[in-house]
Amino acid sequence: MTEPKILANGWESITPADAGWTYVSFAVHTLQAGDSLTLPIDGQERALVPLSGTADVAADGQRWQLGGRQTVFDGLGHCLYLPLDTEATVTATTDLEIAIAAAPATTKHAPVLVTPDDTDLELRGGGNASRQVNSLMLPDFPADRLHVIEVWTPGGNWSSYPPHKHEHDRDGEAELEETYYYRLRDPRDGWAVQRVYSPERDFDLVQTVRDGDLLLIPWGYHTTVAAHGHDLYYLNVLAGPASKRTLQAFQDPCLKATQDAWPDAGIDSRLPFIPRYPS
């Protein structure tokens, strides 16, 4: 299996063969208004998340309209879940940037459109580890393997903290492959820092990430910090071999106790800073 790595903006689609793992595929497609994209029947379930613009999706005699924000910082995302054995046509009704995550599936569920009305304005953490979360596909979602989450982190704050991992299938931890797709409110000058580390593997990656970069995490503790003054977004996709849907994570025991101070610190007063819908 591959080591954790960050792909610089300019990468195209990532398949399990590209990543050196088994489950997660991920791509971001840019379409001009009126352009279409066909998603074939290939043994995978999919999640479609418009990053900007609006889309019309047709599949199995049904149609859905989704999207509407100009950037990921304008409002919460929509997510269209398309199950196994579903051929679909995505048509851009405006200029469109759309993320598509996929994973192999064995059970065909019903398609589901998740809108901003279906999710909470969820705040996690405390102090300078506060962030805003939009949980699009959690373990109770009717799907086989895919989990999809949006996270916004104000400039200067830590995210995915305390560091945690999804590496072993055991009590309190699930084996999951994971991607982070990063966007910055200032796409030209914005940046953040990503750390992925594994004491048991003598591995430590600390790297600057910028708008459009993609992180592959097959194993290891991970955490992210947004540079001061630079708000960060990432789209988080996870899938793994467990027969039961789960996002159980094992926190770094050296840092787990840091969250004990969060109730006294409270949530960063800047949050929530992403509205449910664009204003």
Side-chain angles (χ1 to χ4, degrees):
M1 182 177 283
T2 186
E3 292 185 342
K5 59 184 175 182
I6 294 168
L7 307 180
N9 188 0
W11 61 274
E12 295 182 356
S13 61
I14 299 301
T15 67
D18 299 323
W21 58 29
T22 306
Y23 298 100
V24 175
S25 298
F26 185 78
V28 174
H29 298 277
T30 301
L31 303 177
Q32 294 183 335
D35 288 350
S36 294
L37 172 70
T38 298
L39 305 177
I41 293 175
D42 56 5
Q44 298 192 93
E45 60 183 2
R46 291 184 173 87
L48 284 61
V49 180
L51 303 169
S52 64
T54 57
D56 177 276
V57 181
D60 288 346
Q62 300 183 67
R63 302 189 79 91
W64 300 269
Q65 286 75 44
L66 57 155
R69 54 188 176 179
Q70 291 187 342
T71 77
V72 295
F73 294 95
D74 294 334
L76 305 186
H78 291 69
C79 178
L80 176 61
Y81 171 73
L82 295 176
L84 170 72
D85 295 337
T86 302
E87 181 178 297
T89 300
V90 180
T91 301
T93 52
T94 68
D95 289 350
L96 175 70
E97 189 176 28
I98 188 165
I100 301 179
T106 57
T107 302
K108 185 163 185 174
H109 300 269
V112 178
L113 175 62
V114 180
T115 76
D117 288 330
D118 301 319
T119 57
D120 296 327
L121 285 172
E122 182 182 358
L123 307 181
R124 294 184 188 173
N128 71 336
S130 303
R131 58 272 195 191
Q132 183 174 346
V133 178
N134 186 29
S135 298
L136 295 167
M137 290 179 59
L138 286 176
D140 61 355
F141 191 94
D144 260 22
R145 300 186 187 278
L146 276 176
H147 301 82
V148 182
I149 303 165
E150 296 185 302
V151 181
W152 294 266
T153 308
N157 281 14
W158 290 83
S159 199
S160 293
Y161 203 92
H164 61 276
K165 64 187 181 77
H166 313 272
E167 186 170 343
H168 302 293
D169 191 9
R170 62 185 181 183
D171 187 34
E173 182 179 1
E175 180 184 348
L176 294 165
E177 300 164 358
E178 187 169 10
T179 59
Y180 278 35
Y181 174 65
Y182 309 95
R183 302 302 296 262
L184 277 297
R185 191 188 290 271
D186 180 348
R188 187 185 70 175
D189 297 323
W191 55 281
V193 174
Q194 178 69 52
R195 186 184 184 203
V196 185
Y197 61 99
S198 174
E200 65 184 281
R201 299 172 188 260
D202 193 28
F203 178 88
D204 200 339
L205 169 71
V206 181
Q207 188 171 330
T208 301
V209 293
R210 301 184 184 277
D211 189 74
D213 291 357
L214 180 71
L215 169 66
L216 309 180
I217 318 173
W219 43 258
Y221 297 107
H222 44 282
T223 186
T224 317
V225 61
H228 175 76
H230 290 295
D231 298 333
L232 172 70
Y233 165 95
Y234 56 84
L235 181 61
N236 188 202
V237 175
L238 307 96
S243 58
K244 180 180 179 180
R245 291 175 57 77
T246 176
L247 283 176
Q248 291 184 102
F250 184 79
Q251 292 180 333
D252 184 341
C254 298
L255 295 169
K256 183 178 180 180
T258 58
Q259 65 186 357
D260 294 343
W262 290 351
D264 292 333
I267 294 291
D268 188 318
S269 62
R270 292 175 290 179
L271 295 171
F273 71 150
I274 305 300
R276 191 174 297 278
Y277 284 100
S279 58

